[in-house]
Amino acid sequence: MEIKVLEPSEVTSEYSSKKFELELNEYKNVLDTITDSEKLKRAILLDFSELANFYISLSDLEFQKLSTPDENSKESYLLHYALAKPFKDLMLLHRDVFLQLQIASHKAQENVVNTGSIVTHFEESKSILDQALNSFQKNIEQEHRTISRFEKSGKDISKKTKHHQNPWYIYKVQFVDILEHIELISNSGLDFQKVIDIFSSIKTYTISSYESSLEEAKNSEKTIETVSISLEKMSDNDEISSIISEIDLAVKKIETSGRKLEGFSDLAEDKVKSLETLNFPAAINEGLLLIKKIDFNRSVKKWLDYELLPYLIDLWENQNNLASYFKHSLLNLKSSLKLLKNNSSLAPVDPQIATLKEIRNTIRLNINKQQQIIAEIENKLEKQLLATNIYGSEEFLEVSFQSSLNLYTAGSSGLLKGLLQKIKTAFRSLNSSYEKTISTSPDNLTEKAINCINFRMVKEENAHYDTLFLNKNFIGDLFLVPRIDEEKKLDTCFKDWQNGFNKSVLITGNNLSGKSTFMEDFAKKHFGKETIVLAPDSTITIEGRKFKTNKNLKEALQEVKKNIYNTKPVLLVDDLEYWRSEDISFLDNVRALVNFVLSESDRIFVLVSISKAMQRHLDKRLPFSNAFTTRIDLNKTNSEEIFKAVLIRHGASHKKLVNKDSNVMSPKQIENKVQELSSDFKNNIGEVLQAWAYSTKMIDNNLVIFEEAECSFQDFFSSEELIILKYVYLYKYVNEVLLKSFLGKGYNINFDSGIKRLVNTKVLCRNSNGNLILNRVITSDVFEILRYRGTIN
């Protein structure tokens, strides 16, 4: 039966949901006819997106029909309440399948998967969508039966949603976002195909370069063979002239050949120059679309310089040495043959033939050496110079990760989660042969990670200069750079508190984002001595009364509450994560703080700092963030403010900053370097200052050289080590006792060796109390790895 395509005007019919069902059937019919991956991608991009837009239009019109937001009808119940959630799940599933089909298509384009795997993956993908569509249709049937039961009992279906606010506009925003995801994936796929083509042209050019070099060596061997045969067959001295002519021709070829580094670099540069920085949807993690931002131009240049060119240079050096040796040998042979012309006997030819055999053996050894080098080059081209390596865990490209829009799958149906798992299983089988191809030795990754940490650690000769950038306690008022927007927000909150409102502030940000400095500076400016800094295991003075704290935050807050009589102070609770012990849990301390904030923030101005990761973690357990009237995120700092912070600290050193060519850097050049670091570390001011410290080096008493770090931290962590790192990142520190309480009996079996390896590689360090903390030079790297591996949100 042919389904009639609806005109826009027909959407207003009161039977709109029935027409949606017809559109759904038509889409299912289209899906049944599809026979390959590309057609399935096209169907999702066009037909399914059209179906989703149809649903959005119907629901919008139905919402507009309602005279009041609380009014409901059968159509409203179906479209806004009953079907919106399962249809959102269906959209997410189509988006995820679409992404995996695109990744599979790219891998097929680079020949890293076989045709059979692509076919199997397509069949699995189509089957998953069929199951989801059938399930959605059953949902529709079930809801119709529900409506029918209500009508038979004389009730209105609107009673089922009587106390619910219509959720349609919330769903609409999510639907539009998912459709934008599909369009983003499609558009990025077109850009990515161009990248694959450029990678392919670089490979082709590289192959022609080393094949030319090897061909020259083999031609040298052939020339020796030809001359040797001519000498062996020579019966008269008159034939020497023709042999000398062959030698002259061979020498001429040698003089006009030779591999030049400049030639290769120029042509490679020409091929790479069209590469640019691009954003690619690369994976799905619990409904979150992960996007990789890659500067292909910079990364490929770096890979060519550090991975490929050393082998090509070695190859060309071997060939040039061979050419020089071969030319010298031929000229010696030519001189000897000229002397033979005047000799009546052919006996002196035998030593020449023996010499030629030695030359031939030398050439063969050189050819073997070149073939070994070429094998290494081919291995790198095959396993590393792949654009699709961005989809794997071991890529040569430097990658930073960003999240897209919103997390949608919270509370998704069991069916969706089951189908998502099927996608992962199907794609894992597609990847199996590919992952074996690109796998990198764990030992090599560990070595690279250790080298990176070693490079970033503070050097003794740099201690004076690095102190200006790394020592938090050194920073005085002159070193503080105003964070204008955040300070305005905090000042507004403070003025409201002065006017009698209950006000409290939550300061969030990743490690080194400047939370402590920001809080302390505010307290000093506005409260002076009327500042209470509440920290575990310390002595606190309030209006002349002293008391000692342990790790029980509830008791400490009670002491604060009962000892305040004549003042209205500010209370600073910096790094809330430290308030925990074996006797009292972190969650109990947080609950005590929330209760205190809600009851006492009219007479005490409360400022609390916590990491973004822990904030998200707590918000899943209790209404933590909502307890605070003002929330300030310090994760990102304005680029101008970061530049000013660097200039102030460098200026205090009274040193000249020079580049690798020993030329003094101008303010504009310094600003460019700071902007690069800001981009690399997502405008986290502390991370940028730290990166500046390990990117600079004292070369004498008055000069500091800026040398870009050519190392990146590699992910070598096992699944057990990721769990350990998650605890350390969230809770600031752990120790073996705490980990045992977290992990139970499995600790000794699976995690003890993981701790030892993390300590031995200096990923984890021990503080003065013997607790394990993250090495501060890799905190941002560890966070990105945890987020990308799905261990932390």
Side-chain angles (χ1 to χ4, degrees), residues 149 160 244 539:
R149 283 199 305 272
K160 191 172 182 183
I244 289 175
T539 300

Side-chain angles (χ1 to χ4, degrees), residues 435-449:
E435 287 170 348
K436 288 175 186 175
T437 303
I438 67 160
S439 61
T440 303
S441 163
D443 291 338
N444 189 37
L445 290 177
T446 306
E447 184 178 343
K448 287 183 178 179

Side-chain angles (χ1 to χ4, degrees), residues 745-771:
K745 294 180 180 178
Y747 172 83
N748 291 329
I749 300 171
N750 300 315
F751 294 88
D752 187 44
S753 60
I755 287 179
K756 289 176 181 175
R757 192 162 84 122
L758 292 173
V759 171
N760 290 339
T761 53
K762 296 194 185 315
V763 171
L764 294 181
C765 307
R766 290 195 186 274
N767 63 15
S768 57
N769 297 321
N771 293 316

Side-chain angles (χ1 to χ4, degrees), residues 85 459 660 788:
K85 178 66 170 63
K459 306 296 189 295
K660 61 182 179 181
Y788 184 64

